[in-house]
Amino acid sequence: MRGGGAAPGPAAAGSEAESPTADRLRIATFNLENLGDSAQPHATLAERVRLLRPQLLRLRADVLCLQEVDAQRGSDGEPRRLDALDALLAGTPYAAFHRLTTFSRSHGGPRDKHNVVILSRLPIVNGRQVLHDLVQPPLYKAATGDGATAAITWDRPILHATLQAEAGWTLDVVNVHLRAPRAAFIEGGKASASVWRTMSGWAEGFFLAAVKAAGQALEVRLVVDQLFDADPEARIVVCGDFNADSHEAPVRTIRGDEEDAGNAHLAFRTLVPAERSLADSRRFSVLHHGRPRMLDHLLLSRALLAWYCGMEVHNEALGDEAVTPQALVGTPASFHAPLVAEFRVAAD
């Protein structure tokens, strides 16, 4: 299991987090936003840990999916390590959880930036990274810039773990971080790092970003259907930062819709957004120019939905990512709210 790093054992002494019960299961997701990126201004790692750790403890999660975990360079010749994540988890139950993380195919260690990570109290019996394993990069000839033809590759892998409880049941967790709707790189399209030469160039970059998100979503859907092929009653949760609302194309692609497909018999292969059980006033994980948006999701298979009790979105202290004053650009906070869903495990 690449990047598995299993760390079984009792919860850390003195932790404030509640110990899990035999019949309760809490699954959470949280985009930490560039954890460990030394290029970020102002906020130190210590400040970030001080602010983020209470948020993790409040989740009381048995399974925790994280996004945007950067890796730090070790000694010469050694792969990068997730030192910042280790510092954040120190003294919490999560430090003793089993771990699966994305990795670089070139050097085998964690990717430099934006790793996705699965932490689990339950043993991880199988884990894999999926990046163009099921969908090959499409070739595209640019209409602007230098007009080059290049492959459109996804920004980040998908991470899939199969967890197994002592009672024998299994849970498939798919952790995703889809491309944000920001214009992608076009060779020769920019005058500087943040300035496009033409509006057409920006528009093409924005189009390519949509292609990347759609392609990632398609590959996630193929992973989900593989799981349903192996077990039609599979308990599956797809969670993470989708950078899209539930009605937008990337999320619709992943969750599926028997009405879109024109086949009612496919209803058992659809995934249900857990946030549908929340009041509209609580249904947001990001604020953008004062507009609340639900960009982070937990999508549940019908078999897992049978155990579902409810969901929390910890958005009380959420800042607006678009209008934060320049002095707070380096805030230690994340502009994503953590999400957690609770389940009551029933005997089969």
Side-chain angles (χ1 to χ4, degrees):
M1 180 169 56
R2 296 295 296 270
S15 168
E16 299 175 27
E18 175 184 312
S19 297
T21 60
D23 65 342
R24 188 208 70 182
L25 179 69
R26 289 174 65 89
I27 303 174
T29 181
F30 190 15
N31 183 331
L32 298 171
E33 292 220 70
N34 299 302
L35 179 71
D37 183 356
S38 59
Q40 290 293 306
H42 307 309
T44 66
L45 178 59
E47 289 172 323
R48 299 218 67 199
V49 168
R50 184 179 179 186
L51 196 67
L52 294 173
R53 187 181 289 162
Q55 292 182 275
L56 296 183
L57 291 174
R58 181 185 176 189
L59 292 169
R60 306 188 309 281
D62 303 304
V63 180
L64 177 58
C65 293
L66 302 172
Q67 301 86 44
E68 293 200 26
V69 179
D70 293 347
Q72 289 69 55
R73 192 178 301 280
S75 304
D76 290 344
E78 292 185 1
R80 288 178 177 262
R81 304 174 306 198
L82 300 181
D83 293 339
L85 178 62
D86 290 338
L88 175 62
L89 302 181
T92 75
Y94 307 117
F97 277 23
H98 304 272
R99 181 186 298 186
L100 185 72
T101 183
T102 46
F103 60 90
S104 167
R105 286 175 172 168
S106 62
H107 57 68
R111 295 160 59 89
D112 296 358
K113 293 184 69 64
H114 288 194
N115 289 279
V116 295
V117 177
I118 298 174
L119 302 170
S120 174
R121 175 179 60 83
L122 303 174
I124 299 173
V125 295
N126 185 44
R128 59 172 170 160
Q129 169 176 292
V130 180
L131 180 62
H132 293 297
D133 296 280
L134 304 176
V135 179
Q136 293 303 303
L139 292 177
Y140 177 75
K141 179 176 174 58
T144 63
D146 63 5
T149 297
I152 304 175
T153 57
W154 318 155
D155 294 346
R156 289 170 288 269
I158 302 156
L159 195 62
H160 166 227
T162 302
L163 316 180
Q164 185 159 35
E166 291 183 6
W169 54 266
T170 60
L171 172 69
D172 285 290
V173 179
V174 182
N175 189 359
V176 305
H177 185 187
L178 303 189
R179 169 79 191 199
R182 299 190 185 97
F185 175 77
I186 297 281
E187 188 68 46
K190 284 188 173 184
S192 65
S194 58
V195 177
W196 288 87
R197 296 183 186 279
T198 66
M199 190 60 76
S200 295
W202 167 85
E204 186 168 33
F206 195 66
F207 160 74
L208 290 180
V211 173
K212 287 172 175 279
Q216 279 183 284
L218 171 59
E219 195 153 37
V220 174
R221 183 67 233 185
L222 294 177
V223 168
V224 169
D225 275 338
Q226 283 184 339
L227 297 174
F228 280 131
D229 288 342
D231 179 7
E233 302 299 323
R235 297 182 182 94
I236 304 168
V237 56
V238 180
C239 59
D241 178 5
F242 293 68
N243 274 305
D245 288 312
S246 62
H247 65 276
E248 293 181 288
V251 182
R252 286 177 61 187
T253 299
I254 295 170
R255 65 176 177 82
D257 190 319
E258 71 274 17
E259 295 176 356
D260 285 344
N263 187 346
H265 299 291
L266 295 177
F268 300 101
R269 290 195 170 222
T270 62
L271 302 176
V272 180
E275 72 261 16
R276 287 182 176 175
S277 65
L278 294 174
D280 288 345
S281 62
R282 299 295 301 163
R283 201 181 299 178
F284 66 95
S285 63
V286 170
L287 288 173
H288 187 81
H289 284 297
R291 179 187 175 195
R293 300 192 64 195
M294 195 74 187
L295 302 186
D296 304 82
H297 305 276
L298 291 127
L299 308 181
L300 314 177
S301 66
R302 298 301 181 100
L304 183 58
L305 191 63
W307 291 356
Y308 178 64
C309 295
M311 179 182 180
E312 304 164 16
V313 182
H314 298 168
N315 52 22
E316 299 90 345
L318 197 59
D320 193 314
E321 65 172 0
V323 298
T324 299
Q326 186 64 32
L328 294 180
V329 167
T331 175
S334 170
F335 289 109
H336 286 256
L339 281 57
V340 61
E342 182 158 319
F343 304 83
R344 294 291 174 179
V345 177
D348 288 330

